[in-house]
Amino acid sequence: MKSVKEAIDIIGENKFVNVKKILSPSDFNNFINAVRSERKTTFRINTLKTDVQSVLQKLMHLKIKSVKYELLNNGYIVTDDNGKNILNSEPAKTGLIYLQSISSQIPPEILDPQPGELILDMAAAPGSKTSQIAALMNNTGKIDAVEPDFVRKERLDFNLKLLGVTNVTTYQETGERFAGDKENYYDRVLLDAPCSGEGRFNVYDKSSYGAYQPDKILKFHNLQYKLLNSALKAVKIGGTVVYSTCTINMLENELVLDRIYKDNKFGIKIIKVDPKFFKSPEFVQPILIHDGERLNENIKGALRVVPSTKIEGFFICKIIKTS
């Protein structure tokens, strides 16, 4: 484990400014401890190709120890040093398991897709959540998965094939344009939005912080606002939209939702996230005060995830379109 000073010096003190402004001293301390510690390897058992017991027996044979993450259906944490070897293991190479962060597995479960439904995943690559939704639906119904970048869409297609997903059609397009002519069309929409990624910071993974630029946060906010409006337009009345990011600042989270409420283009209701999540110290309430002003009270139903050694920072909100 790096010291606090080492971690801040390596990543850059300017990259912590936005986070430090909004987290309580104890939550910021947890955040820094997560940043300077090697995060545990986590994975999801792919029930489209196998069952839980079969995988656990294979991992035991490979001397890879893991423990179930209690709040998820099929999420597991590697508990020993063999976490680094699991990527090259037979279960991973054949799609029986998929390496996926614990936080990333939460939005599809909150989306709660049902067999036979029509689902839109607006920012689908590399396919982590898309394939998880397919598993929750047991490959029934239809999922439209959208990704604008060619290389990332190729990765999406590869992962879906590896994992045995058969109910997904992929499109190389922006989520906003793709959803533009599909008003009141989908039963549920997942918008795991492009974001600045503050929740992923880890000193042992340069890709988690290397591209972070604080001055691009407003650009992300505007993109997220446009995408969320498109998601709300595309979902049926009575349908569900889950909005999530892997970042921590308010501009990309609570303030996106507050702007949606103020513009009032759609009737919406935020559904409180399952109380079971608040039994774990990483899960906290959203922040409802910004620059001395109170945000819309409905936002209190959303969920913030403070990073720890086993879970990345995230923000998740479940929305019902009422009109």
Side-chain angles (χ1 to χ4, degrees):
M1 179 187 290
K2 302 287 187 184
S3 70
V4 171
K5 184 178 185 306
E6 282 178 316
I8 291 176
D9 287 346
I10 291 170
I11 292 177
E13 191 168 1
N14 68 313
K15 295 182 179 180
F16 294 94
V17 172
N18 288 306
V19 176
K20 198 168 187 177
K21 281 180 182 177
I22 62 168
L23 293 184
S24 67
S26 62
D27 284 342
F28 184 73
N29 183 62
N30 292 337
F31 172 75
I32 288 294
N33 284 335
V35 167
R36 66 193 185 97
S37 306
E38 290 194 67
R39 191 167 284 136
K40 297 286 188 182
T41 301
T42 59
F43 63 91
R44 172 173 55 85
I45 294 177
N46 177 26
T47 54
L48 290 176
K49 296 184 78 170
T50 187
D51 60 86
V52 171
Q53 286 307 314
S54 296
V55 169
L56 295 181
Q57 286 175 5
K58 286 178 182 291
L59 294 178
M60 188 180 302
H61 181 72
L62 294 169
K63 296 183 169 52
I64 297 175
K65 298 177 182 178
S66 64
V67 62
K68 187 178 186 296
Y69 186 72
E70 64 277 8
L71 300 180
L72 295 172
N73 288 325
N74 296 300
Y76 285 77
I77 302 170
V78 179
T79 56
D80 57 18
D81 293 337
N82 285 330
K84 294 173 183 175
N85 301 327
I86 198 170
L87 180 61
N88 295 315
S89 69
E90 182 263 343
K93 286 183 175 180
T94 57
L96 302 182
I97 66 170
Y98 182 81
L99 270 64
Q100 184 176 354
S101 76
I102 293 297
S103 294
S104 172
Q105 296 178 51
I106 298 172
E109 294 209 6
I110 289 177
L111 184 68
D112 192 27
Q114 299 299 305
E117 287 187 328
L118 182 58
I119 309 290
L120 173 62
D121 187 347
M122 291 188 73
S128 310
K129 299 176 185 66
T130 317
S131 57
Q132 186 180 353
I133 293 170
L136 291 169
M137 298 170 70
N138 198 26
N139 262 340
T140 66
K142 184 175 184 293
I143 303 169
D144 287 338
V146 183
E147 169 54 50
D149 182 81
F150 174 79
V151 175
R152 285 176 57 81
K153 181 184 175 295
E154 289 283 292
R155 187 66 184 173
L156 167 65
D157 290 331
F158 173 85
N159 283 332
L160 295 178
K161 183 177 180 181
L162 173 68
L163 296 170
V165 175
T166 59
N167 67 337
V168 173
T169 304
T170 62
Y171 302 86
Q172 187 183 344
E173 183 58 279
T174 66
E176 184 182 0
R177 280 200 293 265
F178 182 83
D181 62 348
K182 295 176 177 62
E183 188 169 1
N184 299 321
Y185 187 73
Y186 292 98
D187 296 298
R188 300 173 200 261
V189 178
L190 175 65
L191 173 55
D192 185 52
C195 70
S196 59
E198 294 160 338
R200 296 183 59 247
F201 284 2
N202 189 274
V203 72
Y204 295 97
D205 178 10
K206 189 172 183 178
S207 69
S208 70
Y209 62 84
Y212 176 79
Q213 295 178 317
D215 58 357
K216 287 189 175 181
I217 288 177
L218 180 58
K219 182 179 178 181
F220 278 118
H221 167 89
N222 290 326
L223 173 61
Q224 292 151 355
Y225 170 77
K226 289 178 182 177
L227 286 170
L228 185 51
N229 264 311
S230 297
L232 289 166
K233 178 182 177 182
V235 78
K236 296 174 181 176
I237 294 173
T240 300
V241 174
V242 167
Y243 174 78
S244 61
T245 73
C246 60
T247 200
I248 293 175
N249 69 79
M250 291 184 69
L251 193 59
E252 298 180 71
N253 295 318
E254 289 95 342
L255 292 179
V256 173
L257 300 174
D258 192 61
R259 185 176 172 187
I260 291 286
Y261 267 110
K262 284 177 178 174
D263 286 357
N264 200 28
K265 293 181 181 178
F266 304 96
I268 62 172
K269 180 181 180 181
I270 291 178
I271 303 299
K272 188 172 179 60
V273 170
D274 192 325
K276 73 178 184 180
F277 287 107
F278 293 100
K279 295 177 182 178
S280 182
E282 292 98 344
F283 299 97
V284 299
Q285 300 285 344
I287 302 167
L288 296 182
I289 301 290
H290 178 71
D291 288 345
E293 292 188 13
R294 185 111 183 141
L295 306 186
N296 192 291
E297 283 293 322
N298 290 286
I299 297 171
K300 66 185 178 184
L303 177 71
R304 275 186 165 273
V305 184
V306 178
S308 71
T309 55
K310 60 185 178 182
I311 190 166
E312 293 180 347
F314 241 74
F315 181 90
I316 307 162
C317 182
K318 183 175 185 177
I319 306 167
I320 303 296
K321 179 179 174 180
T322 59
S323 64

